[in-house]
Amino acid sequence: MGAVETGAHHLRSHTPTSLAALWPDLPLDDTLTRRILARVVGDDRDDLEGVRGLPRRLEREIAARSRTDRLEVVDRRASRIDPFVKYLFRALDGSVFEAVRIPLERPRWSVCVSSQAGCALGCEFCETGRLGFERDLEAWEIVEQVLTVRREGPERPVTGVVFQGQGEPFRNYENVIRAAEILRHPCGGRIGGDRITISTVGVLPMIERYTEEGHPYRLILSLTSALPDKRARLVPLARRHPVEALAAAMRRHAQRRGGPVNLAWVMMAGINTGADEARELGRLFAGVKVRLSAIDVNDPTGRFRAPSDEERSRFFSALADNGIGFVRRYSGGADIHAACGTLAGRATGGLAIPSPPSGGKGQG
Ligand code: SF4
C-alpha cells in the first residue's frame, strides 16, 4: 500500500458509507469500513495491517485497489510575530497549496485549509485570486492538511477546521463536503461539526443546496460589501450572484439552521467601512440576528490598506446603530503571508521549521 496508481481510490477520501459503496463486490460491512477509516485517518496510518476482523486476503485486495500516499510538505514556516505556522504542500502533479496552523486561546489548534490550488474567482483584495486557478483538491488532500498539523503538533489537539485557505470551497463542493464528513466522523478526524467552518464568497446555488442538505458545519458568507456596484468591483462573482439574492439565501439558511447569519468582512480603508455599508446591511438583514466577523485587509501589494483605529471605530458604531452584531477578528502570521487573503504559494519570511523526525511522511 502507498504506491501511487493512476485511478486508484485514495482511502482517506472515503467515509465508511462511501467506501462500502465503492466496491460492492467486496464483503465490506459498516463495521469494517469504520475500522478502516479509524486506521487510515483516526490513527493516521498507511496500511491496514491488524485491522480487527479484516481477513488477510481482503486486506490485500483493498491494498491493490487503493492508495494511501501523502502530500509532500515543502516548507513549514513559523511567524516571528505570533504563534502561527504556515505549511506549504506539494501534490504529486506539482500543484502547491497551503494550510495555516492557528493557535486557539485554550491550548488547541485550528487549521485553515485550502480547498483548491489557486482560485478562479479573482477577488480584488486577495492574493490567491491573483494566482489563477490550478485545480480542485481531492478530499484526501484536504484531510491530509489537518492530519499533518495533528501529527506535527501533538502537544495540542486539533479541534477546529476552517475552509478559508486557497480556493472557493463551494466551487469544489463534493470534495469539501466529503472532507468535512471525514474530519467530523468519530472514527476519522473526530472534530465537532460545529467547529468546522465553510467560508464562501457567495456561490448562490451551492448555498441553497447546502441549506437544503442540512449539514452541521458553520457557513460564513464573506460579503465585504453590501452595495451591489461596489461588491461587483471587489468580487467579480457578485456580477452573477447579486447581494440581495445572497442575503435572502443566508436568511433562509439561518432560519433553517436556527442560528445567526454569519458574515465575514475584510475591512479596507476608504472602501467598505462607511455608514452607507452599515445601513445597507441593516436593511438586508432586518429582523435577523447577524454575526459579522470583521478583519483588517492584508494586501502585500499595498493597494488596499487596513482602516485606522478611528475609521474602524466609526464603522463599528454604524454597525451597532443598524442592529448588526460584530466581532473583530485578528488575522495572524502576516510576516509569513499566512494572513487571510495572502495565501499565494510562497515560502518567505518568518522562521523555517525543519522537518520533524517522525513527521513529514512525504509522498508514496
Ligand atoms: S477571496 Fe477566496 S474566492 Fe476570492 S479570490 Fe481569494 S480565495 Fe478566491
Side-chain angles (χ1 to χ4, degrees), residues 170 200 202-211 219 246 249-250:
F170 278 178
T200 177
V203 186
L204 183 60
M206 291 301 150
I207 295 176
E208 284 164 347
R209 175 174 166 189
Y210 182 82
T211 301
L219 177 66
L246 287 176
M250 288 304 284

Side-chain angles (χ1 to χ4, degrees), residues 292-360:
L292 180 147
S293 301
I295 193 157
D296 283 346
V297 71
N298 273 291
D299 180 10
T301 70
R303 263 181 74 208
F304 297 100
R305 283 175 304 104
S308 65
D309 289 347
E310 202 193 323
E311 183 177 345
R312 197 183 296 110
S313 308
R314 269 202 312 270
F315 180 51
F316 288 166
S317 303
L319 288 176
D321 290 348
N322 285 280
I324 301 295
F326 61 90
V327 344
R328 186 176 172 198
R329 294 237 176 270
Y330 295 87
S331 184
D335 60 330
I336 51 170
H337 301 279
C340 289
T342 63
L343 294 183
R346 312 179 251 227
T348 50
L351 197 66
I353 307 174
S355 168
S358 59

Side-chain angles (χ1 to χ4, degrees), residues 119 121-123 125-126 128-129 165 167-168 201:
C119 184
L121 297 189
C123 302
F125 49 88
C126 172
T128 310
E168 161 55 55
V201 289

Side-chain angles (χ1 to χ4, degrees), residues 10 25 62 64 68 81 160 163 239 286 352:
H10 202 291
D25 58 316
I62 295 170
T68 53
I81 49 180
F163 286 83
R239 290 173 209 147

Side-chain angles (χ1 to χ4, degrees), residues 7 13 28 31 34 93 106 150 351 363:
S13 274
L28 280 170
T31 306
R34 287 168 80 91
D93 64 353
R106 283 183 293 172
R150 177 171 280 174
L351 197 66
Q363 300 175 50

